[in-house]
Amino acid sequence: MLADALEHLVRGIVDHPDDVQVRSATLRRGELLEVRVHPDDLGRVIGRGGRTARALRTVVNALSSEGTVRVDVVDVDRR
């Protein structure tokens, strides 16, 4: 559910919504959501001074019922 919500939010921000991928993984310290975007959209998702990325993390953590969720933003060229 969180991955779908995050993907929906990121697709609304970027210019290349077809390149958005959100992968979910469960780690010892909680859940990790990894967002992959087109290299041209990386700046849009991070935002000036990291404001957009911080806002996305805040929304995802507010939706989470199981505690803290880590959100990492990665461009599609990096694997």
Side-chain angles (χ1 to χ4, degrees):
M1 177 192 136
L2 291 175
D4 294 335
L6 181 59
E7 184 174 350
H8 179 76
L9 290 170
V10 173
R11 281 180 183 259
I13 296 171
V14 298
D15 289 332
H16 303 94
D18 295 335
D19 290 340
V20 174
Q21 298 173 350
V22 177
R23 199 181 83 195
S24 176
T26 303
L27 305 175
R28 281 183 284 159
R29 290 198 264 164
E31 189 174 359
L32 167 70
L33 295 176
E34 186 177 85
V35 180
R36 293 187 181 271
V37 296
H38 192 276
D40 295 341
D41 293 327
L42 192 58
R44 280 183 178 269
V45 175
I46 294 173
R48 186 172 298 203
R51 290 182 189 168
T52 305
R54 196 171 326 124
L56 289 170
R57 288 182 182 109
T58 301
V59 170
V60 169
N61 280 313
L63 291 173
S64 173
S65 61
E66 300 174 10
T68 306
V69 177
R70 195 171 121 202
V71 178
D72 288 343
V73 179
V74 181
D75 67 355
V76 293
D77 289 342
R78 219 176 103 197
R79 297 273 176 206

